[in-house]
Amino acid sequence: MFKGLNHTEVKERLSRFGYNELPSARPKNIWRIALEVFREPMFLLLISCGLLYMILGDYQEGIIMLCTIFIIIFITFYQYRKTERALEALKKMASPRAQVIRDGAESRIPGREVVPDDILVLNEGDRIAADAVLLETLNLTVDESLLTGESVAVSKVPGNGSAGDNNRVFSGTLVVQGSGIAKVTATGPATQFGRIGISISRIREEETKLQQEMKALIRRLFIAGVFISLAVVVLFYITRGNFIQSLLNGLSSAMAILPEEFPVVLTVFLALGAWRLSRRNVLTRKSSAIETLGSATVLCADKTGTLTQNKMEVSVLYDGHNMYYADSFRSEDGFDPLLIRMANQASRPNSIDPMEMAIRELHDRFYEPGTDELTFIREYPLSREMMAMSRVLQDPVTEENGFSIFAKGAPESIFILCRLSDSEKENHLRALKAMADEGYRVIGVAMAEYRKPELPEEQTDFEFRFRGLVGLADPIRPEVKEAVNDCRTAGIKVIMITGDYAATAASIARQIGLPEGECITGPELNRMSEEELRERIPRVNIFARVVPEQKLRIVLALKANREIVAMTGDGVNDAPALKAAHIGVAMGKKGTDVAREASSLVLLDDQFSSIVSAIRSGRRIFDNLQKAMSYILAIHIPVIGLTLLPAFFPSLPVLLMPLHIVFMEMIIDPVCSVAFESEQEEKGIMNRPPRDPSVAFFGVRKILNSFLSGILLLAMVAGVYFLSLQEGHTEGEVRAIAFSALITGNIFLILTQLSKTRNVSAVLAEKNYILIFILLSAFIMLLLTLFVPALRQVFSFAFPGTRHFIPSLAGSLLVLTLLETIKISRSKKRAATG
């Protein structure tokens, strides 16, 4: 809709439809990213610690602390670039140009320059730039599927604007056949297209439940961290008297306590999740949708273009005696393609009308193009009185044989042209009803011969013979049936929403394998109150004959019933519901710009099965995010405990200094944000029901489980710490032994937290290379800090001898054994309870 416009013009035109921003594929400026990084509490603490070390005269440690900031800025900048690069797929937009008559002359202008009272010239293939009333038409048909959801083009006739929509054309729709002249009545937000855009802008987007929980938890932990850090400063100052050192230990406590990883992990998980989805042809426009995907309970699918291919296909033929379905369109089965040949001759060559394209496609399967070329003489267009068209053709070789006339149109009109008797019509009406009940669009076909040299003025003057009926359907996407079955297995209810009649919708529902359920039509929906709709909607799986406002109402009713709603669609008419749903999924190839802008996800390949793949990925991401958050809570327990221990017992040496905590963070951050994200899905992930939306992400049980893991690790490190003191080691040796126990125990904690059901050996066998690289790097760095004298000095370590590290390793193995035993016990309990 915005072809040929620059960025500013596109933004201006979108603003007319209620959009204030265009997605930007340009990476943020590195200094702007750095500014955002410096606003984070952890980075402020790092700067404070570095400056305090410089004040104390420890320039080496101060410089090391400050250098870590630039490493983190680089990582953050890289993540920003990777996330924003995916938005480039949204910059391909298209917009019509309009042919208008101004001052008696025709000219072609950009669609945005059309104003009310302009005279539009409409030709086949034009995208209409404004709402208008028709003044003249010649066999004009318009594809309005973007607005109405109907895949069949609508015939248009001239009028004065008061006879319904058949004498009006709408912005964004497509002329598929014929021509016309129309007077513009509305542009911009006043058009039907624009009103939908405005309704989108009025819909308030909600924060996801996880975002709300995360904010509340971080707020509580932040408040607790501030009070504990202040208490540490006061206690250290009272017991040790050095204010600068007390402040430094207070900052260490703050670094240990503040949950700075939570927002980082959430951001990285969603960014990497978006990247993984893009590799499966699912573009993420709103990263919060990834988190919501795993808990989706209802999938509302628009039929046209989503469940179906948004094109017509000949599915059944009736030759006046027998019915032939698509699977029997073969000569060896006794099928005679003469009927489809006549239907093709009644169609305009090279037409872009969906029905005529479908007829031509089937015709070309049986006849070589150009083998039966006849000369076109005249066309009799359809009219209000006769909803059929006729084309007069003549064989140039045997002109003396007269004219051949081929007609197609509404079956009732074809019956009239053929002057059928009541008994003849009765047989054909039975076939017509059978085809209509199966959801087919049906047209009749007739033929006449005319020997006179002068053609009559009206097509009704020919003596037509009825030749048959052609049933067309918008074919089901081949992957839909399996995808619907996968949704059912995963506990996700699929609801089909369409503008078609109930019979057509029911036929589609049977073909895609929707379970039995109720059907509500648009008129019924209008008569229902909100309470009645909420009460009835759990039993409904089809909504037929609905309009855009009703689709939005359906989504809102589901949300009121506490369902997590995913809505798929591709047309302008889907946009309000796409934006109102928790997860809006638009089609990328055939979807409109408005639908893509309103959605959370865009299917770049238009494959319905990609939705199921996205849901699977969403569940995996949610599981791994939960594991990562549980690990963060668990690992902070020993860090906090070991930081606070010297504050309460002045005789004990300080164990963790700011640099040690930074070392821990360099393990914790990549592990919980990258290694956990890379972990494969749990078995049977799509055989369980969606997560209960009312269950908290950080429930009491999960927090207690994390605390238990953290307390076990704290107890082990504290035990090693006191054991080393009793053995008479120096302060530096005690710190080295205890710190090695903390790092080794942390590595084992990571391995056991990676899966809720699989043991450590199974986790390692899965070859999570990112995890292996991070853990090996951490272990090598630990060895370097213990065995390289220069690094020992930086970390305030002393080497006690290799054998003195045996308690650290033994204690870590004991923690691993206990945690694995607890995991096995819980798995057996879950299996027993089903």
Side-chain angles (χ1 to χ4, degrees), residues 209 213 295 297 562-564 690-699:
K209 195 166 184 288
E213 285 187 45
S295 54
T297 58
R562 305 190 64 146
E563 302 282 3
I564 303 298
R691 185 178 71 95
D692 186 350
S694 63
V695 175
F697 181 82
F698 291 110

Side-chain angles (χ1 to χ4, degrees), residues 573-789:
N573 60 317
D574 299 323
L578 284 172
K579 187 167 184 180
H582 295 100
I583 310 158
V585 184
M587 298 297 161
K589 289 182 178 178
K590 295 185 178 179
T592 61
D593 301 320
V594 176
R596 289 196 292 268
E597 288 293 324
S599 65
S600 306
L601 304 174
V602 179
L603 303 183
L604 298 178
D605 60 356
D606 282 8
Q607 295 293 316
F608 188 81
S609 58
S610 296
I611 301 172
V612 180
S613 177
I615 291 173
R616 177 187 291 272
S617 295
R619 291 190 175 191
R620 184 190 66 81
I621 292 167
F622 189 88
D623 280 356
N624 289 344
L625 181 61
Q626 205 166 55
K627 296 171 194 173
M629 297 300 186
S630 297
Y631 163 73
I632 292 171
L633 286 175
I635 193 57
H636 273 72
I637 300 300
V639 175
I640 293 169
L642 296 172
T643 304
L644 297 180
L645 203 59
F648 293 100
F649 302 97
S651 60
L652 297 178
V654 175
L655 176 58
L656 293 182
M657 298 177 178
L659 190 59
H660 301 134
I661 296 175
V662 170
F663 186 94
M664 285 290 296
E665 293 295 336
M666 297 298 282
I667 301 173
I668 295 171
D669 283 351
V671 163
C672 59
S673 61
V674 181
F676 273 95
E677 194 281 332
S678 303
E679 187 60 18
Q680 74 169 33
E681 66 190 42
E682 299 283 0
K683 292 182 180 178
I685 196 170
M686 290 297 283
N687 294 326
R688 68 190 191 205
R691 185 178 71 95
D692 186 350
S694 63
V695 175
F697 181 82
F698 291 110
V700 175
R701 174 174 287 185
K702 293 184 180 68
I703 292 175
L704 290 177
N705 288 338
S706 296
F707 279 180
L708 174 61
S709 301
I711 288 170
L712 284 175
L713 183 55
L714 172 60
M716 184 273 291
V717 177
V720 172
Y721 176 66
F722 286 114
L723 179 63
S724 301
L725 286 174
Q726 287 182 354
E727 291 179 351
H729 289 289
T730 65
E731 181 177 327
E733 291 173 345
V734 170
R735 188 177 293 117
I737 295 170
F739 189 73
S740 66
L742 178 61
I743 297 299
T744 309
N746 180 30
I747 291 172
F748 288 160
L749 177 65
I750 292 166
L751 292 174
T752 192
Q753 290 277 338
L754 277 168
S755 175
K756 298 175 183 176
T757 56
R758 304 186 302 277
N759 58 37
V760 170
S761 58
V763 168
L764 290 173
E766 288 158 7
K767 298 180 181 178
N768 185 337
Y769 294 113
I770 295 176
L771 170 72
I772 295 171
F773 173 77
I774 293 171
L775 295 186
L776 282 177
S777 299
F779 191 69
I780 291 170
M781 284 298 297
L782 175 62
L783 293 178
L784 290 174
T785 59
L786 294 174
F787 290 94
V788 176

Side-chain angles (χ1 to χ4, degrees), residues 49-51 53-54 58-70 659:
C49 288
L51 292 176
Y53 273 119
M54 302 286 274
D58 194 342
Y59 297 109
Q60 186 181 37
E61 190 150 352
I63 291 171
I64 291 172
M65 293 290 291
L66 293 174
C67 285
T68 58
I69 298 170
F70 294 101
L659 190 59

Side-chain angles (χ1 to χ4, degrees), residues 400-415:
E400 65 277 5
N401 289 338
F403 304 98
S404 298
I405 301 93
F406 301 92
K408 66 176 174 62
E412 295 81 1
S413 297
I414 295 295
F415 293 163

